[in-house]
Amino acid sequence: MALLLKPSEFKDKIKRAWQNYVERGIIDENTVRPIIRRSWKRCKLLNVDPYNGRGTIFLTDEKLKERRERRKEVIEIARPMMENLYKLVEGSGFVVIFGDEDGFLLEVIGDPEVVERGAGLNFVKGVNWSEKYVGTNAIGTTLVEDQPIQVVAAEHYCQYHHTWTCSAAPIHDPDGRLIGMLNMSGHYSKVHSHTLGMVVAAVQSIENQLRVKRESEKVFNLNEYLKATFQSITEGLISLDEKGYISDLNFIAEKMLGVKAKSLLGKHVSETVIKGLDLEEILMTGKGYMDRQMSIDVNGQTMYFTVTARTIIDKNCNVIGVVTSLREMKRITKLVHKVVGAQANFKFNDIIGESRQIKDCIKLGILAAKSSSNLLIEGESGTGKELFAQAVHNASLRNSGPFVAINCAAIPRELLESELFGYESGSFTGAHKEGRPGKFELADGGTILLDEIGDMPLELQAKLLRVLQEKSITRIGGLKAIPVNVRVIAVTNRDLAKEVKNKNFRSDLYYRLNVLYIKIPPLRKRREDIPLLIQHFLNKNRQKLATNKKIRFSREAVDILENYNWPGNVRELENVIERAVNIVEGDLITQEHLPDYLITDFKEKPSVDQINPLEETEKNMILNALKSYKGNISKAARALGIGRTTLYRKIKKYNLAVESN
């Protein structure tokens, strides 16, 4: 054994110093170390009994179990260290103790007779050994001072501890927080100078293992996080090692490629379905690419993806692998439609009108929505043909798919084919290097609106016919047919039947498009809807201007609007009302707020005197209808071919009495 830590003369001297302090409050600064002086002063302030020292604060079995569970990690690491320390001093009268940051003893290992002797002081599991309860001691003082300490004999504040020498060191977690302490205690005559060093070394080992465990857990958790991210990301991911062998792929990639991961793992990229992604070239050059459109043959079918490939570089700038992400063009186009508004906004409830003509069109539209057959909508410009097309799409089973519109008259004929069917890379000068999908591909799973179909060139009509028959397209410069699931709605302001007779439109395409047919009436043929449309557009423009003014039309202005023929139909009416709302200064729109051509047209019509006979005829017809249907407004209006609103207005105009049945 090594030399004793303190000579016997010191023990006598420190004993006298202790007596002087507890009896007289005088400290011998030449004998008592600063750290012990500070502790004695704390004990006196806390009224600790210097002639006692037994532990009095105990944990219940349940609370002890809770505290041990809270410090389970450090106990599992400290226990082997405690056993190793004990083996070095086994049989020498030592006890090794682990306590938590609050001073509760959670683990005790030692010679049986020493443990039994300590039990007399309640120096056992579950007791609190902090300064405020048992005075100066290595366990409590090391927790207060947060530094290693050895307390010898009478340096203990309480007399019952004067036969002990204790060596303790605080334990910190990897974040530097105090989480406990390790202590070795024995009879003062058997403690050696290196005892505290042994405890400090054990604590350092415990803290190192905590750090290693923390870092190991971080690496493990990071690996698990990366695995979870790799599998949960919505793109198909494939990783290769530095030699081009597939090291991993996620579930989405499996689904996209129609394969199981185990069938690709460990295989060279050149032997798999993804050999066309130029990944070997990336490994050689170290240069990746972003959002490159590519096609892969999957189970005999060509699938289009946008592909991004990034190299993985080590600290020496060597390429050690490649990570590739695949995104199906279908998903990208669906996202694009949402962002840029390639979707239908209108429903049948948005169509304004109570006339029999417009209600018949809505009825046909609702029937068309239940079918996937091609639909032809004819009508003059401004009648709302696209509104009907959108309503049909939204009422159909394809309403979750895209709604893609293309104006066949607005695109130059030489570009229309590529817009409709797309093109492969290098197809013609000025084309995108990666190729581009056409409107039919973008509309896959939804509806394509071919606006102004009557203006489509004859040579392109033949290609469109083939697409409708085969339900697939072939890109310009491409060789493979791409299946498309698209519902076609064709719209025109021309009479296609006449265009067929005049050899301006192919008859076979006409019959292919004209499976279902809707003819939208011009506004002049449903004049009873004009008041409803006026009010609708008035409200719409008031909201747009965010005004609280209750703007209304004068009776004279309404008469002008109702009597105009509206060659521009509903669109023209909307524009006129928007203009009036913007220029009116008060809340009443009069004829001065209407375009001059409307006023001129109205003045050129016959005067009221000239049309009195016609009014008389109208009045008599209304009276007869009301009598025939016993005052039933709905039936009378239907018989007269006008709306209920119009009939009420005319009843008021002619001051007619209505008899109810």
Side-chain angles (χ1 to χ4, degrees):
M1 301 289 284
L3 291 174
L4 292 175
L5 180 63
K6 302 285 184 180
S8 58
E9 292 82 3
F10 171 75
K11 295 182 178 65
D12 294 336
K13 197 172 182 180
I14 195 68
K15 179 72 173 179
R16 289 193 295 272
W18 175 81
Q19 287 175 330
N20 279 331
Y21 184 70
V22 298
E23 294 174 4
R24 302 180 184 85
I26 300 171
I27 290 183
D28 181 355
E29 295 187 0
N30 293 322
T31 302
V32 184
R33 293 180 289 156
I35 193 169
I36 298 299
R37 293 202 301 267
R38 291 195 298 270
S39 179
W40 283 3
K41 290 178 180 179
R42 287 193 295 268
C43 294
K44 186 176 281 290
L45 287 172
L46 291 167
N47 294 318
V48 177
D49 185 357
Y51 299 105
N52 198 332
R54 288 188 179 91
T56 57
I57 305 300
F58 286 89
L59 293 171
T60 63
D61 290 343
E62 183 179 352
K63 292 294 183 181
L64 176 59
K65 184 178 179 181
E66 287 178 4
R67 284 193 174 251
R68 284 177 59 83
E69 184 64 29
R70 186 163 63 92
R71 290 297 175 216
K72 179 180 178 181
E73 179 184 50
V74 67
I75 289 174
E76 288 177 349
I77 293 174
R79 177 79 191 192
M81 298 296 175
M82 295 169 67
E83 291 173 349
N84 289 337
L85 274 178
Y86 174 64
K87 286 177 183 177
L88 294 174
V89 295
E90 188 175 3
S92 302
F94 280 90
V95 63
V96 183
I97 295 168
F98 168 77
D100 67 13
E101 68 275 18
D102 296 320
F104 286 101
L105 309 188
L106 303 183
E107 195 73 26
V108 179
I109 301 174
D111 292 341
E113 66 276 10
V114 182
V115 174
E116 185 177 348
R117 184 162 67 93
L121 293 171
N122 294 331
F123 200 38
V124 293
K125 283 184 186 180
V127 75
N128 191 287
W129 216 254
S130 56
E131 280 186 348
K132 64 180 178 179
Y133 298 122
V134 293
T136 304
N137 71 95
I139 294 171
T141 304
T142 198
L143 292 174
V144 174
E145 296 285 342
D146 197 14
Q147 61 176 298
I149 185 173
Q150 189 172 63
V151 181
V152 180
E155 286 186 323
H156 289 89
Y157 188 75
C158 294
Q159 191 174 29
Y160 282 0
H161 305 163
H162 287 182
T163 58
W164 295 80
T165 292
C166 306
S167 304
I171 301 173
H172 301 87
D173 68 10
D175 297 319
R177 291 187 294 261
L178 182 67
I179 58 173
M181 63 81 221
L182 188 66
N183 174 74
M184 181 183 287
S185 296
H187 194 271
Y188 73 87
S189 64
K190 295 182 179 181
V191 176
H192 293 72
S193 58
H194 62 265
T195 304
L196 181 59
M198 293 167 57
V199 173
V200 170
V203 166
Q204 288 175 345
S205 180
I206 292 170
E207 290 180 342
N208 286 337
Q209 287 198 44
L210 284 171
R211 278 191 290 271
V212 169
K213 190 171 186 294
R214 171 74 66 84
E215 292 304 316
S216 177
E217 287 176 350
K218 280 184 179 179
V219 172
F220 176 82
N221 291 338
L222 178 59
N223 188 46
E224 290 301 304
Y225 177 81
L226 290 175
K227 283 182 180 178
T229 303
F230 193 78
Q231 289 298 332
S232 63
I233 201 164
T234 56
E235 298 176 6
L237 296 180
I238 304 169
S239 62
L240 310 180
D241 64 17
E242 72 278 9
K243 295 182 180 179
Y245 289 91
I246 298 176
S247 56
D248 206 356
L249 66 156
N250 67 356
F251 169 73
I252 300 298
E254 287 183 299
K255 189 176 179 181
M256 284 181 177
L257 301 175
V259 296
K260 292 294 182 183
K262 61 183 180 181
S263 68
L264 292 184
L265 294 179
K267 288 187 176 181
H268 196 271
V269 63
S270 61
E271 303 171 2
T272 67
V273 294
I274 62 171
K275 59 187 176 182
L277 301 183
D278 297 336
L279 300 181
E280 291 178 275
E281 179 184 342
I282 294 172
L283 288 170
M284 293 173 59
T285 63
K287 295 180 180 180
Y289 53 76
M290 289 185 63
D291 296 328
R292 185 178 294 180
Q293 185 179 317
M294 293 185 171
S295 62
I296 302 174
D297 289 333
V298 178
N299 297 326
Q301 182 180 346
T302 301
M303 297 190 66
Y304 287 86
F305 302 91
T306 58
V307 184
T308 295
R310 294 186 180 277
T311 53
I312 304 172
I313 310 294
D314 66 11
K315 62 181 180 180
N316 297 318
C317 297
N318 296 316
V319 178
I320 59 173
V322 175
V323 175
T324 307
S325 65
L326 307 177
R327 288 176 290 178
E328 284 187 275
M329 286 298 299
K330 289 181 181 180
R331 296 193 63 185
I332 296 172
T333 54
K334 189 173 183 180
L335 177 62
V336 170
H337 294 325
K338 288 183 178 180
V339 174
V340 302
Q343 50 190 338
N345 297 313
F346 295 102
K347 299 179 180 180
F348 285 114
N349 289 339
D350 298 314
I351 299 174
I352 307 300
E354 291 291 335
S355 64
R356 178 180 53 78
Q357 296 94 323
I358 206 68
K359 284 189 172 182
D360 286 346
C361 289
I362 292 173
K363 185 177 180 180
L364 288 173
I366 293 172
L367 291 173
K370 297 177 181 179
S371 170
S372 286
S373 298
N374 299 329
L375 169 65
L376 176 62
I377 301 177
E378 289 185 352
E380 295 179 8
S381 295
T383 51
K385 299 184 292 297
E386 183 169 347
L387 188 150
F388 266 88
Q390 292 189 25
V392 169
H393 171 81
N394 278 327
S396 73
L397 295 177
R398 296 173 175 267
N399 57 11
S400 61
F403 179 86
V404 178
I406 181 170
N407 190 316
C408 300
I411 299 173
R413 57 193 303 153
E414 59 272 14
L415 296 180
L416 184 56
E417 182 178 0
S418 64
E419 284 291 320
L420 285 171
F421 309 129
Y423 55 84
E424 295 289 1
S425 59
S427 299
F428 53 87
T429 303
H432 284 264
K433 185 171 71 173
E434 295 86 7
R436 197 175 191 181
K439 291 296 191 291
F440 269 90
E441 282 182 76
L442 296 176
D444 191 37
T447 302
I448 187 169
L449 170 64
L450 302 178
D451 197 6
E452 305 300 349
I453 187 71
D455 293 281
M456 179 177 285
L458 283 168
E459 63 272 16
L460 197 53
Q461 292 179 24
K463 295 183 179 180
L464 175 60
L465 177 63
R466 187 165 60 251
V467 169
L468 298 181
Q469 291 172 335
E470 300 176 1
K471 299 189 183 303
S472 64
I473 62 99
T474 302
R475 291 183 178 183
I476 296 174
L479 299 175
K480 295 179 179 178
I482 302 172
V484 286
N485 176 17
V486 176
R487 198 263 180 91
V488 175
I489 298 180
V491 170
T492 182
N493 59 4
R494 300 189 182 190
D495 185 338
L496 280 195
K498 288 183 179 179
E499 295 297 315
V500 169
K501 289 181 180 179
N502 295 331
K503 307 297 182 183
N504 294 324
F505 201 84
R506 293 179 62 103
S507 60
D508 45 7
L509 178 59
Y510 172 71
Y511 296 123
R512 178 68 66 174
L513 292 173
N514 191 19
V515 177
L516 298 170
Y517 177 77
I518 299 175
K519 176 77 171 181
I520 311 296
L523 187 55
R524 62 183 175 277
K525 290 189 177 180
R526 56 181 185 110
R527 292 184 182 276
E528 59 267 43
D529 290 334
I530 291 177
L532 294 174
L533 289 166
I534 291 173
Q535 192 59 48
H536 170 72
F537 292 134
L538 189 60
N539 293 337
K540 178 180 175 181
N541 283 283
R542 284 179 58 225
Q543 291 174 5
K544 189 187 298 185
L545 292 174
T547 177
N548 293 322
K549 290 194 302 182
K550 294 183 178 180
I551 301 174
R552 66 189 191 281
F553 278 82
S554 68
R555 179 66 258 172
E556 184 182 29
V558 171
D559 286 340
I560 292 172
L561 296 178
E562 285 184 330
N563 284 278
Y564 183 62
N565 270 339
W566 300 109
N569 292 292
V570 178
R571 186 184 297 125
E572 185 184 5
L573 174 62
E574 181 178 10
N575 291 340
V576 167
I577 293 173
E578 182 176 358
R579 174 184 181 275
V581 171
N582 275 280
I583 66 174
V584 67
E585 294 180 354
D587 56 8
L588 182 65
I589 296 174
T590 63
Q591 70 171 12
E592 68 182 52
H593 301 112
L594 300 179
D596 290 341
Y597 69 86
L598 292 183
I599 310 300
T600 301
D601 181 83
F602 184 72
K603 288 180 177 179
E604 290 177 351
K605 291 185 181 296
S607 66
V608 174
D609 293 335
Q610 292 174 300
I611 59 171
N612 275 339
L614 180 58
E615 285 188 347
E616 204 61 36
T617 302
E618 183 180 59
K619 177 180 177 181
N620 292 331
M621 290 180 66
I622 292 172
L623 278 172
N624 290 334
L626 290 172
K627 288 179 181 178
S628 298
Y629 292 101
K630 299 179 180 180
N632 189 308
I633 298 295
S634 297
K635 290 181 179 180
R638 194 176 302 116
L640 292 167
I642 60 177
R644 287 165 49 90
T645 303
T646 302
L647 180 56
Y648 274 120
R649 183 163 50 80
K650 292 184 181 295
I651 289 172
K652 184 178 180 181
K653 175 182 176 180
Y654 296 126
N655 196 25
L656 301 177
V658 180
E659 297 179 4
S660 58
N661 53 351

